[in-house]
């Protein structure tokens, strides 16, 4: 199934359209909407009708909401965007079990979401998990991530985050199915857009809106320590995932540039305190890169770093990323790495990649639409990655500056 193909953006250029100034309706708080309706001499109970149409129905526009009178539909359409997600391309993979969506926002920015279906097995119920984006592009710049190649465009509004969920929920509803899990592991660093991410989670977990339990939501971070500490103070019950990728500072400097601001020990210390305060197990993600972070020494360092923690480790073979001189670790190497962690008492899972033929990894489809960078730019990127990773493997800390606005 393929929906309208998005126009190709010129390589390296930011969206040129002006963002629609109307707020997205899904990002409006119930009390705000109620006040807006009452101010227009509408009964407060219309709020429930609007939210039912927004969160529980299959309406794609205000015109589809036939429970509301025509004049009110027109007023809502004039004041709000019923859906902030515009043209969308969907690619299917794995026999329909993986759906990659590329969404275009009102200013031309591109963001991605991935819907993954897991059939019922034994005692495990059927699951439908959506991976969503919190930013257009990403400023962190991890070299094994396709989003890092795109650079940073902007933070997403709360409604732009939520409407990725609504888009997937409408598709599921056509078959009588419902979204069971949401993970903030798409484009961007969620804790660098934390206010809007928290507002989106509040809407997702609100019984009057989407009604998804907080424990069915996972928020991933590459290690923004102040953001983790803020979450700990709030005491949320969603799952915190940390994109760790390496347990040694020199290597993590190269793989996760934020490590130059918040070293790995500080990140794990903050995550450990979060687990202690919330009682929720921390998930650590490690992208396995052949010959870079998959050695017995890396396994031993990771086991020592997480010893005694309430934690789980996901080992993920690296997805192919254009212009990066690396490849995924061979499966026997990953299995050996996992065995060493398990022998140290650390719960570990090897996560098989899905949808590689449709570019289902974060940022791959958006990077494809952005166009090929110039050959000199590709050569410079590869040279820098090779230089930094070689220095990291020698145990040298990076002296490269962070991108503007990251780690401030």
């Amino acid at each position: 199934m393929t929906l309208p193909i998005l126009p190709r953006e010129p390589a390296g250029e930011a969206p040129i359209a002006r963002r629609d100034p109307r707020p997205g309706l899904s990002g409006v708080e119930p009390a705000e909407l109620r006040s807006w309706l009452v101010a227009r001499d509408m009964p407060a109970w219309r709020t429930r009708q609007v939210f039912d149409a927004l969160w529980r129905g299959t309406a794609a526009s205000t015109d589809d909401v036939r429970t509301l009178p025509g004049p009110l539909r027109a007023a809502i359409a004039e004041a709000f965007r019923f859906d902030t997600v515009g043209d969308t391309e969907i690619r299917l993979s794995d026999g329909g079990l993986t759906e990659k969506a590329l969404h275009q926002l009102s200013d031309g920015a591109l963001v991605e979401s991935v819907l993954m279906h897991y059939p019922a097995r034994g005692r495990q119920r059927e699951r439908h998990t959506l991976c969503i984006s919190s930013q257009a592009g990403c400023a962190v710049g991890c070299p094994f991530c396709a989003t890092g190649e795109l650079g940073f465009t902007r933070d997403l509004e709360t409604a732009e985050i939520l409407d990725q969920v609504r888009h997937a929920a409408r598709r599921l509803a056509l078959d009588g199915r419902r979204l069971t899990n949401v993970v903030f592991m798409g484009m961007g660093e969620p804790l660098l857009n934390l206010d809007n991410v928290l507002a989106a989670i509040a809407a997702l977990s609100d019984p009057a809106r989407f009604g998804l339990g907080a424990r069915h939501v996972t928020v991933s971070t590459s290690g923004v320590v102040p953001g983790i500490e803020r979450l700990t103070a709030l005491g949320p019950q969603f799952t915190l995932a940390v994109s760790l990728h390496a347990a040694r500072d020199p290597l993590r400097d190269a793989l996760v540039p934020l490590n130059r601001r918040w070293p790995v020990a500080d990140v794990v210390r903050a995550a450990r305190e979060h687990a202690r305060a919330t009682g929720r197990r921390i998930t650590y993600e490690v992208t396995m890169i052949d010959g870079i972070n998959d050695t017995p020494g890396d396994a031993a360092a990771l086991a020592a770093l997480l010893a005694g923690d309430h934690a789980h480790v996901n080992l993920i073979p690296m997805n192919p990323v254009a212009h990066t001189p690396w490849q995924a670790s061979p499966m026997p190497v990953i299995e050996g790495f996992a065995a060493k962690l398990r022998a140290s008492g650390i719960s570990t899972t090897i996560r098989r990649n899905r949808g590689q033929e449709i570019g289902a990894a974060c940022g791959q489809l958006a990077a494809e639409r952005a166009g090929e960078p110039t050959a000199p730019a590709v050569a410079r990127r590869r040279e820098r990655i090779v230089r930094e990773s070689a220095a990291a493997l020698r145990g040298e800390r990076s002296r490269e500056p962070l991108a503007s606005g990251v780690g401030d």
Side-chain angles (χ1 to χ4, degrees):
M1 175 178 67
T2 301
L3 297 187
I5 301 295
L6 302 179
R8 182 179 293 273
E9 294 282 333
E13 293 186 11
I16 57 176
R18 185 176 68 90
R19 201 185 317 182
D20 191 324
R22 294 173 300 162
L25 190 56
S26 62
V28 177
E29 296 286 338
E32 293 179 89
L33 181 60
R34 187 178 302 110
S35 296
W36 185 88
L37 289 165
V38 170
R40 284 152 184 80
D41 297 323
M42 292 289 173
W45 52 262
R46 291 286 188 194
T47 307
R48 177 72 270 160
Q49 285 186 314
V50 173
F51 278 138
D52 281 346
L54 194 68
W55 294 105
R56 315 215 187 286
T58 57
S61 70
T62 310
D63 288 340
D64 296 332
V65 187
R66 294 299 172 177
T67 55
L68 301 177
L72 178 55
R73 293 200 304 270
I76 291 175
E78 183 178 359
F80 304 100
R81 284 174 287 165
F82 190 83
D83 198 338
T84 60
V85 168
D87 290 338
T88 293
E89 175 188 344
I90 297 177
R91 296 185 182 181
L92 303 184
S93 180
D94 304 317
L97 293 178
T98 302
E99 303 179 24
K100 177 67 172 279
L102 180 65
H103 310 288
Q104 190 170 42
L105 307 179
S106 66
D107 60 352
L110 300 174
V111 297
E112 300 177 355
S113 62
V114 181
L115 180 58
M116 294 163 284
H117 307 286
Y118 299 91
R121 289 184 179 177
R123 296 182 179 179
Q124 191 173 61
R125 294 181 179 179
E126 178 181 83
R127 291 178 294 128
H128 306 282
T129 298
L130 182 69
C131 177
I132 61 174
S133 299
S134 56
Q135 296 178 313
C138 183
V140 176
C142 299
F144 53 84
C145 175
T147 306
E149 293 184 331
L150 294 171
F152 176 71
T153 300
R154 64 173 174 85
D155 289 335
L156 298 190
E157 302 168 11
T158 299
E160 291 171 333
I161 297 171
L162 289 169
D163 288 347
Q164 298 169 65
V165 177
R166 292 178 54 237
H167 194 281
R170 288 199 302 267
R171 302 200 313 266
L172 285 169
L174 295 175
D175 295 325
R177 298 178 294 176
R178 179 171 170 78
L179 202 60
T180 58
N181 301 84
V182 172
V183 297
F184 285 78
M185 293 183 180
M187 298 170 68
E189 165 53 63
L191 299 196
L192 292 180
N193 187 20
L194 187 52
D195 287 340
N196 289 345
V197 166
L198 288 174
I201 293 173
L204 292 175
S205 57
D206 183 356
R209 287 180 277 178
F210 194 65
L212 183 69
R215 293 191 173 216
H216 294 272
V217 176
T218 297
V219 176
S220 177
T221 178
S222 54
V224 181
V225 169
I228 297 173
E229 292 172 343
R230 182 178 167 192
L231 293 180
T232 302
L234 293 172
Q237 285 301 299
F238 55 75
T239 299
L240 178 66
V242 177
S243 296
L244 199 63
H245 306 305
R248 298 180 288 180
D249 278 321
L251 183 54
R252 196 166 189 269
D253 283 351
L255 298 181
V256 187
L258 276 180
N259 197 73
R260 303 166 198 168
R261 173 64 180 84
W262 296 294
V264 66
D266 292 347
V267 173
V268 172
R269 187 180 305 114
R272 186 177 294 133
E273 175 58 27
H274 184 85
R276 187 201 65 77
T278 64
R280 301 285 288 158
R281 184 175 71 171
I282 303 297
T283 296
Y284 290 98
E285 310 278 350
V286 179
T287 296
M288 302 297 290
I289 308 171
D290 187 24
I292 299 296
N293 65 345
D294 60 357
T295 69
D298 290 301
L302 183 57
L305 180 66
L306 302 182
D309 284 1
H310 187 36
H312 179 85
V313 173
N314 277 333
L315 303 179
I316 309 163
M318 190 189 91
N319 277 289
V321 177
H323 322 131
T324 297
W326 296 330
Q327 59 187 5
S329 303
M331 191 52 64
V333 172
I334 299 176
E335 290 170 346
F337 197 103
K340 288 179 171 59
L341 295 181
R342 291 170 184 145
S344 299
I346 298 173
S347 173
T348 304
T349 299
I350 298 173
R351 200 170 80 195
R352 265 65 178 184
N353 290 330
R354 293 175 59 167
Q356 287 195 7
E357 70 272 23
I358 58 168
C362 171
Q364 285 183 305
L365 192 51
E368 175 187 315
R369 285 289 176 269
E372 289 290 329
T374 63
V378 172
R380 286 194 299 271
R381 175 179 172 82
R382 289 178 66 92
E383 181 183 355
R384 177 178 58 79
I385 292 172
V386 169
R387 182 180 67 250
E388 290 184 4
S389 58
L393 292 173
R394 294 194 300 268
E396 299 174 13
R397 294 295 303 271
S398 175
R399 296 181 181 179
E400 294 289 331
L402 287 172
S404 176
V406 179
D408 295 342

